[in-house]
Amino acid sequence: AAHQWLQAEDQVVQLFGKKMKLFLRPRDLIRQVPEAAPPQGKISAEFRGCPWYPSLAYTNCMDPKLKPLRDCILYEEGDTMFGMFFAPAGTYYPAHRHQPWEIYHMIEGEGLFFLGDDGGEPAQALAEVDQMEAKPLSIFSNGPGCFWLHRPYQSHGMQLLDRPALILWGWIGDLSGDYDLRYLEKDIFLQCCK
């Protein structure tokens, strides 16, 4: 992923590649698979030993359909964080936005990804952010090797297709506090999935 990002035309994507290269170094293999790891056979074996935990999507929304989702943080330093995300086939990941820039890189699986026409500006008062009427700007399908970028506060979500998905993600921005992570009360992308 880092090599592919470094070759991109977009300077922000290149920045993700440069920051990813900083943390790429030989690591000891984790022999014990964490209890919260995705089910055996759902992702490649080499990823099962990552430090998985229940996804923030589930813990923030408490939607039972999101309970099988898993996150792991692989690296965090300064303004940069990289991790992985697992979701079963057919999962809808709700519309949300946050302060940091974000890049997603599909490792396994495929899905439809939605970007809103909002974002790019510092958030207004939280009550105003929740009431903003963003509209879907881009809907695109991605499979292994594809990546896409979200601006700060740009609404985004996804509908995964027939196979479980493993996604590498990266954040660059203010990583203090709760990252101003907000799930949208009016999910602008649900209509795209019907």
Side-chain angles (χ1 to χ4, degrees):
H3 179 71
Q4 191 175 353
W5 298 345
L6 287 168
Q7 295 178 40
E9 291 182 23
D10 188 295
Q11 291 182 348
V12 176
V13 174
Q14 291 176 13
L15 179 61
F16 274 101
K18 290 174 187 171
K19 290 190 174 260
M20 173 73 111
K21 278 186 69 174
L22 294 175
F23 100 91
L24 295 177
R25 56 187 173 274
R27 297 175 186 270
D28 293 334
L29 290 175
I30 299 174
R31 300 271 184 239
Q32 186 173 3
V33 175
E35 186 175 317
Q40 189 166 357
K42 298 293 182 184
I43 61 171
S44 299
E46 64 264 29
F47 296 115
R48 290 202 52 198
C50 294
W52 295 101
Y53 57 89
S55 175
L56 288 176
Y58 172 67
T59 56
N60 285 346
C61 298
M62 296 311 287
D63 180 341
K65 293 180 282 199
L66 301 177
K67 194 170 186 175
L69 277 58
R70 297 288 182 258
D71 288 322
C72 76
I73 295 174
L74 299 172
Y75 172 83
E76 183 176 2
E77 186 172 307
D79 69 347
T80 306
M81 184 166 29
F82 288 101
M84 305 255 276
F85 170 73
F86 165 81
T91 298
Y92 175 74
Y93 191 90
H96 62 288
R97 59 171 71 121
H98 41 71
Q99 187 283 327
W101 280 89
E102 182 173 40
I103 194 166
Y104 283 164
H105 190 105
M106 184 67 85
I107 306 284
E108 297 176 2
E110 59 185 347
L112 298 173
F113 300 92
F114 315 113
L115 295 176
D117 65 355
D118 54 346
E121 299 294 328
Q124 296 125 340
L126 293 181
E128 291 177 38
V129 170
D130 286 338
Q131 299 305 315
M132 285 176 68
E133 289 288 334
K135 295 182 177 41
L137 174 66
S138 301
I139 301 171
F140 48 97
S141 178
N142 276 311
C146 294
F147 63 88
W148 60 103
L149 187 66
H150 311 133
R151 295 185 318 269
Y153 297 108
Q154 184 177 24
S155 299
H156 54 284
M158 68 182 94
Q159 173 66 56
L160 299 171
L161 301 179
D162 321 6
R163 297 183 327 198
L166 182 63
I167 298 171
L168 171 67
W169 55 264
W171 277 11
I172 296 176
D174 182 0
L175 301 182
S176 61
D178 66 358
Y179 325 114
D180 203 10
L181 176 63
R182 321 272 310 151
Y183 287 88
L184 278 60
E185 288 181 28
K186 298 176 187 170
D187 193 325
I188 63 174
F189 303 124
L190 278 175
Q191 69 218 15
C192 303
C193 296
K194 294 181 180 177

